[in-house]
């Protein structure tokens, strides 16, 4: 087996060298490609305000957790993971959050308890949706990892809330530490994620490549350069897989790849050439990637390699390549404004839109909920039926809109089985009316933001994205 692997590796190296010579006949063009890629990296990088917006959302989620559970020992902490935690997120990235219970001593948190916790949060968010603070509240409880989706109405950031996802938190922290070993790892991971997003092949739910898969493919590529740019993960993790041990280990590998002088441009081209082999479904393709989706991934890789070759041979301009790879037009010099210029709300100000619940018959009341109906009838999410209900039909004039509580209602809902009937509903509710406020006291997204599918909404003046 070892001999076969060596033969395959030798063949792969010869193929890569031959293709690189074909794609990059003029080494001088590499300087132009390097400049283009670094500019694309800077354009896509989030602004300081976007970091603060997401930190603000995390603080608000923790305020909600304290409201739902009280300041007792059983009150969970809401923590981030994923692209934001790894510092590899873009403006349109989701914010992955995990509800972690402090007193959880179980190695495996029961699934039914996860669903119970998410339903508790869902009832709260349905109430906030009524006031226009959030939109698109959608429990997806039948998934392998149950989550609750909710979109902040002010920033347009989609938050995916799961329960006890400590493994995701740990992996994200480790990846962030490893990116500090060599800047090329962070930049190439970020650019390949942006490339996959622009070509609509960066979605595990659509059976294409998820972000962690892309990052690990990039890491593997850099570990197998000659000389290597990253050390094997087994070396990094040999003293322990906890964050403290990895942090100590990473210090020993700083500038590990300094002997390798390959540019970001060379690494991107060779990465695409190498990943092209990965799309052979009989070989090393991930099981989560669908058969038809493999063909789509292959076509986007082939298209990108072709465009790179045309650019390196002087047949297309920088602007065309930039748009072909990352969906960035030649007029784009900065991110479109994420929100209006309203000052973000501080955590304590959350109480202005977090209604103070009153205990009624042992249950929380005092706050209305909403959920867009699927088909005919109205969907409600709680454990007890209401005493009084006034339901607006089809958002008739003078009512609060689809599926909202009338003004006379308290905070009771019909049985949870009706919410389960609507779980996994793909259609989001309409956006809040103009003038409504998001969580952070931000105004409505307006032109220049992204809609709930991550599609760019045109703004009258300034840059535009075109995402594939």
């Amino acid at each position: 087996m070892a001999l076969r692997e060596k033969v395959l590796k030798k063949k792969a190296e010869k193929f890569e060298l031959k293709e690189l010579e074909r794609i990059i006949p003029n080494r001088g063009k590499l300087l132009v490609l390097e400049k283009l890629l670094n500019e694309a990296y800077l354009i896509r990088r989030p602004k300081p305000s976007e970091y603060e917006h997401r930190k603000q959302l995390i603080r608000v989620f923790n305020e909600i957790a304290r409201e739902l559970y009280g300041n007792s020992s059983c009150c969970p902490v809401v923590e981030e993971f994923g692209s934001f935690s790894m510092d590899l997120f873009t403006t349109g990235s989701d914010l992955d959050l995990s509800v972690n219970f402090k007193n959880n001593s179980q190695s495996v948190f029961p699934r039914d308890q996860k669903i119970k916790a998410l339903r508790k949060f869902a009832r709260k968010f349905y109430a906030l949706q009524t006031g226009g603070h959030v939109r698109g509240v959608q429990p997806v409880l039948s998934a392998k990892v149950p989550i609750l989706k909710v979109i902040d109405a002010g920033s347009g950031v989609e938050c995916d809330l799961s329960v006890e996802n400590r493994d995701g938190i740990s992996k994200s922290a480790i990846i962030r530490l490893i990116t500090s070993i060599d800047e090329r790892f962070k930049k190439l991971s970020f650019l390949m994620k942006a490339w996959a997003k622009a070509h609509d092949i960066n979605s595990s739910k659509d059976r294409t490549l998820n972000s962690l898969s892309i990052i690990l493919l990039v890491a593997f590529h850099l570990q197998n350069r000659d000389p290597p740019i990253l050390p094997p993960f087994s070396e990094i993790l040999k003293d322990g897989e906890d964050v403290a041990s990895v942090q100590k280990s990473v210090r020993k590998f700083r500038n590990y790849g300094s002997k390798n002088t390959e540019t970001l441009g060379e690494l991107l081209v060779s990465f695409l050439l190498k990943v092209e082999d990965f799309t052979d479904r009989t070989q090393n393709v991930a099981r989560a990637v669908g058969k038809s989706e493999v063909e789509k991934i292959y076509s986007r890789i082939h298209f990108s390699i072709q465009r790179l070759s045309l650019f390196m041979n002087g047949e297309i301009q920088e602007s065309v390549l930039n748009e072909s790879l990352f969906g960035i037009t030649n007029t784009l010099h900065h991110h479109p404004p994420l929100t209006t210029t309203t000052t973000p709300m501080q955590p304590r100000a959350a109480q202005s839109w977090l209604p103070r619940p009153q205990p009624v018959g042992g249950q929380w009341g005092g706050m209305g909920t909403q959920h867009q109906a699927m088909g005919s009838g109205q969907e409600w999410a709680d454990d007890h039926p209401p005493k009084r209900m006034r339901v607006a039909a089809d958002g008739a004039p003078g009512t609060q809109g689809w599926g909202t509580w009338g003004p006379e209602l308290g905070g009771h809902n019909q049985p949870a089985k009706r919410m389960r009937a609507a779980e996994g509903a793909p259609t989001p509710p309409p956006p809040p009316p103009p003038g409504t406020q998001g969580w952070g006291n931000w105004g409505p997204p307006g032109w220049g933001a992204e809609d709930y599918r991550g599609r760019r909404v045109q703004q009258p003046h300034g840059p535009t994205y075109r995402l594939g």
Side-chain angles (χ1 to χ4, degrees), residues 37 41 44 88 90 184-202 209-211 213-219 221 264-265 267-273 275 300-301 304 308 325-326:
L37 293 176
Y41 176 77
R44 287 281 188 175
L88 293 171
T90 60
R184 288 170 290 183
F185 177 37
K186 182 173 184 175
K187 284 188 174 182
L188 189 58
S189 295
F190 184 91
L191 288 172
M192 293 316 303
K193 276 189 62 188
W195 169 82
K197 189 78 173 176
H199 290 274
D200 196 27
I201 52 172
N202 181 208
L209 298 168
N210 64 42
S211 294
S213 297
I214 294 168
I215 292 165
L216 293 178
L217 281 169
V218 171
H221 179 56
L264 189 59
L267 291 170
L268 183 138
V269 174
S270 57
F271 175 79
L272 287 172
L273 289 171
V275 176
R300 303 325 294 162
I301 293 172
S304 299
L308 281 162
L325 292 180
F326 307 113

Side-chain angles (χ1 to χ4, degrees), residues 209-260:
L209 298 168
N210 64 42
S211 294
L212 185 59
S213 297
I214 294 168
I215 292 165
L216 293 178
L217 281 169
V218 171
F220 180 76
H221 179 56
L222 300 187
Q223 287 166 342
N224 284 276
R225 303 314 292 162
D226 185 18
I229 294 172
L230 287 181
F233 284 165
S234 58
E235 289 296 310
I236 298 172
L237 304 176
K238 71 177 182 180
D239 295 328
E241 296 183 16
D242 59 288
V243 174
S245 298
V246 175
Q247 190 170 25
K248 188 183 296 183
S249 177
V250 159
R251 293 195 195 104
K252 298 184 293 185
F253 293 107
R254 291 280 163 82
N255 300 315
Y256 176 87
S258 57
K259 292 181 181 178
N260 185 303

Side-chain angles (χ1 to χ4, degrees), residues 104-109:
N104 175 34
S105 58
Q106 306 174 71
S107 57
V108 179
F109 199 74

Side-chain angles (χ1 to χ4, degrees), residues 127-231:
L128 296 174
Q129 188 169 245
T130 304
H133 302 293
V134 301
R135 56 187 172 89
V137 178
Q138 182 187 352
V140 187
L141 306 184
S142 59
K144 183 178 179 181
V145 178
I147 61 171
L148 172 65
K149 290 180 175 289
V150 58
I151 301 171
D152 173 43
S155 66
V157 174
E158 180 181 308
C159 304
D160 291 348
L161 188 68
S162 56
V163 178
E164 290 293 331
N165 201 335
R166 296 178 189 269
D167 185 52
I169 293 172
S170 175
K171 285 179 180 175
S172 300
I174 289 171
I175 292 293
R176 180 164 186 159
L177 288 170
I178 294 174
T179 59
S180 67
I181 293 176
D182 195 292
E183 184 184 35
R184 288 170 290 183
F185 177 37
K186 182 173 184 175
K187 284 188 174 182
L188 189 58
S189 295
F190 184 91
L191 288 172
M192 293 316 303
K193 276 189 62 188
W195 169 82
K197 189 78 173 176
H199 290 274
D200 196 27
I201 52 172
N202 181 208
S203 173
S204 55
K205 67 181 179 182
D206 295 329
R207 303 194 70 192
T208 55
L209 298 168
N210 64 42
S211 294
L212 185 59
S213 297
I214 294 168
I215 292 165
L216 293 178
L217 281 169
V218 171
F220 180 76
H221 179 56
L222 300 187
Q223 287 166 342
N224 284 276
R225 303 314 292 162
D226 185 18
I229 294 172
L230 287 181

Side-chain angles (χ1 to χ4, degrees), residues 274-393:
K274 190 168 286 184
V275 176
E276 191 173 17
D277 275 346
F278 149 82
T279 57
D280 180 355
R281 198 170 169 79
T282 63
Q283 299 298 320
N284 203 23
V285 70
R287 292 178 183 176
V289 178
K291 185 175 181 180
S292 61
E293 286 75 17
V294 168
E295 295 301 320
K296 182 178 180 180
I297 294 169
Y298 175 81
S299 69
R300 303 325 294 162
I301 293 172
H302 184 71
F303 169 80
S304 299
I305 291 173
Q306 191 179 53
R307 289 288 173 161
L308 281 162
S309 180
L310 290 173
F311 172 74
M312 298 304 288
N313 284 279
E315 296 179 48
I316 61 173
Q317 300 298 314
E318 290 180 49
S319 59
V320 177
L321 181 64
N322 223 336
E323 188 172 354
S324 298
L325 292 180
F326 307 113
I328 301 175
T329 67
N330 58 359
T331 58
L332 179 59
H333 299 292
H334 55 81
H335 279 303
L338 181 65
T339 65
T340 59
T341 55
T342 310
T343 304
M345 174 191 69
Q346 297 303 313
R348 286 294 167 190
Q351 298 304 319
S352 65
W353 58 266
L354 300 179
R356 183 67 63 183
Q358 300 296 326
V360 180
Q363 301 295 324
W364 291 112
M367 52 185 176
T369 65
Q370 87 171 38
H371 185 61
Q372 185 173 355
M374 292 299 296
S376 60
Q378 196 68 36
E379 306 295 341
W380 302 99
D382 210 329
D383 299 321
H384 298 277
K387 294 181 179 178
R388 291 190 295 170
M389 186 179 299
R390 191 167 76 186
V391 178

